[in-house]
Structure formats: C-alpha cells, structure tokens
Amino acid sequence: MSSHREAPVRRVAAPDILARKSGTPIVCLTAYTAPMAELLDEHCDLLLVGDSVGMVVHGLPNTVGVTLDMMILHGQAVMRGSRRAMVVVDLPFGSYEGSAEVAYDNAARVMKETGCSAVKVEAGPTVAANIEYMVRRGIPVMGHVGLRPQAVMVEGGFKAKGKGGEERRLILEEARAAADAGAFAVVVEGVAEGLAREITQDIAVPTIGIGASAGCDGQILVTDDMLGLFDWTPKFVRRYGDIRGEIAKAVAAYAEDVRNRTFPGPAEIYYAKAG
Ligand code: KIV
C-alpha cells in the first residue's frame, strides 16, 4: 500500500532566528487566519499572530481588550495554514505582567493549544524577570520594546518613542534586559533610526524592526496594512498592494450583476438531468 502523505517540513525554530543575527534580514509578517498564513508561509521566516488582531479583525479601538482565548483561536488557524515559517503568538495584555508563574501558565497554555513555537511579550520595565522564568522552563520568548501598543492607556495614544533623553536610555535598557533574560529576538517598534541601530549593535539577539529603520536584523509589518486594506496606515508602512481598492471594485461589480440579473449566468447554474 503506498502512502501519499506529504513529506514533513521542518519549521523555522527559535535557534534558527537567533543564528540570523547580523545575517540575511529576517522576514516577518503578521497572520491571523489559515488562508493568509498559507499565502505568507513560503515567503516568511516568521509569522506573528499579533494581538493587533483585536484592531485589524475584531474592530477593537486598541489591543487592551484582546483575550487569551482570541489569541489561541487565531494561533490555531495560523498553525493549520502554515508548514514552514516559525509561528509566534502574542501574549495579550494582562496575561503575563502580574507574575512569572501566571506568565508561564498562560504561555504554556498557548503553546499546548496552538502548537506554536514561541510567544511574544511587550517588554516594559518589569517584564524581564518573567521572560527569564519562562525561557528557563522551556518557552521561547520574543520581546517587544519602544512603542508598546498595550501601554496605550498610560501613554494616551500610539506615539513614536525614544527620540531623545531619558526615554531613549530606558528603551535601550529594556531591550538589553529582554535579551539578557533569554529572549531569542526583540521587536523594536516606532523608534528613531539612531536608537534602533544602537539597540541592534548592543544586543546579542536579532532585532525585528517595525517603524525602526532598515538598521534592524529583520522587519515586520501588519500584513493588512502593507496590503492596503485600510484607508489610513502609520508613516512607517509601505503599501505593497491595494486590496481595499480591489475589494471595492469586485463588490461593486457583483452588486451591479445581481441588480441587472446577469449573475448567476448560464455557466453558474445547475440543470436537471435529461430524461
Ligand atoms: O500585534 C502586532 O501585530 C505586533 C506587531 C506590530 C509587531 O506586535
């Protein structure tokens, strides 16, 4: 009996990403659904199931309302749709900051229930100890410094960070602390170019930039932003498509065909069998 099962593909893992420090830039995008993950998989080293899913898919005003259950559901979908890229799932606001034990339990649940390879946490001033606790117990962790979207309520909005002074020093320290705690990579978001380059030179693990210059070891964007699914995107997004425009055109054409009864046509209907 012959088997037609596809040969297993080895997924990119945390040590592979770590080994790319100062090497070929690491290509990352966000994904929230199985079909999108399937499209992105062959092009990306890493797919992030970002908590931006709350804003992009669920219409929330920010990421604060995103729950662990939402992240698990989308993590499962992305794992089903991808075979090769490393899949990292964001731990949402309130699921990892309180204590190292809570962070570990929630991260372990995400990994068990999704099959993903790592979690990401926003590495504010108090989180390094929780990163270390998770990593020492077998959970690969990615940090996230600079503009930290989960801090939107204390910041009063999404603002570029680290343009100078004390704030710059703090962000560099947070990146160092995350790397020293064992993070295998650190996302650097919305910071001035000089600081992004300084962090990249300073820490031993890859930096993944978003709005942080080409000086980082890799780049990530919110996929829906770069595909042009929204009418507004931040300054740092380069649009590689106009999916919003394409959808509008397609839906207008469909509506017109329905209204003038040219859809469905002869090729799109079933006929009774002769006899
Ligand atoms: O949630 C997210 O999509 C992210 C990326 C923007 C890095 O954290």
Side-chain angles (χ1 to χ4, degrees):
M1 204 172 85
S2 70
S3 159
H4 295 289
R5 247 193 256 158
E6 280 183 58
V9 175
R10 191 179 88 79
R11 273 199 195 263
V12 177
D16 303 318
I17 299 292
L18 187 55
R20 298 270 293 274
K21 177 74 187 173
S22 308
T24 317
I26 303 159
V27 180
C28 315
L29 281 171
T30 62
Y32 318 113
T33 66
M36 185 60 85
E38 204 177 324
L39 287 170
L40 304 182
D41 191 47
E42 69 169 290
H43 304 285
C44 292
D45 301 304
L46 185 153
L47 298 177
L48 172 69
V49 186
D51 60 354
S52 51
V53 69
M55 301 165 79
V56 173
V57 175
H58 295 273
L60 292 171
N62 53 53
T63 58
V64 173
V66 174
T67 66
L68 208 56
D69 287 343
M70 285 162 77
M71 296 312 302
I72 288 171
L73 201 65
H74 289 284
Q76 289 167 339
V78 170
M79 283 299 292
R80 274 184 223 116
S82 61
R83 297 195 324 139
R84 197 195 61 82
M86 177 174 194
V87 173
V88 179
V89 176
D90 258 347
L91 290 187
F93 175 71
S95 69
Y96 62 91
E97 307 90 326
S99 77
E101 290 83 357
V102 167
Y104 173 81
D105 287 350
N106 286 328
R109 183 178 159 217
V110 167
M111 290 186 72
K112 274 180 200 284
E113 293 186 24
T114 66
C116 75
S117 307
V119 297
K120 174 166 83 59
V121 298
E122 293 189 9
T126 63
V127 171
N130 300 2
I131 295 178
E132 185 173 2
Y133 188 92
M134 288 189 277
V135 174
R136 285 169 68 99
R137 286 160 182 78
I139 296 180
V141 180
M142 196 175 186
H144 182 155
V145 301
L147 191 169
R148 289 184 285 108
Q150 292 176 10
V152 63
M153 294 304 188
V154 281
E155 296 288 343
F158 301 112
K159 297 174 191 153
K161 306 284 285 180
K163 289 189 180 158
E166 179 61 5
E167 191 175 81
R168 188 186 158 96
R169 191 187 62 73
L170 278 177
I171 293 171
L172 181 57
E173 247 176 39
E174 286 167 11
R176 266 186 203 144
D180 292 348
F184 69 89
V186 176
V187 169
V188 180
E189 177 166 0
V191 305
E193 179 181 17
L195 176 57
R197 289 188 188 275
E198 193 178 345
I199 295 172
T200 302
Q201 276 162 20
D202 192 86
I203 67 174
V205 304
T207 53
I208 309 295
I210 171 164
S213 88
C216 296
D217 297 301
Q219 297 293 327
I220 188 163
L221 283 175
V222 170
T223 300
D224 302 54
D225 284 345
M226 69 86 136
L227 291 179
L229 209 52
F230 296 105
D231 50 359
W232 182 89
T233 47
K235 167 189 161 83
F236 59 74
V237 172
R238 183 179 296 173
R239 287 208 184 172
Y240 289 87
D242 177 26
I243 301 298
R244 186 183 171 89
E246 289 300 316
I247 291 175
K249 262 194 266 168
V251 175
Y254 165 74
E256 192 184 329
D257 288 354
V258 170
R259 290 193 180 107
N260 65 26
R261 294 194 187 279
T262 57
F263 175 80
E268 291 140 348
I269 57 176
Y270 295 103
Y271 295 94
K273 276 193 186 140

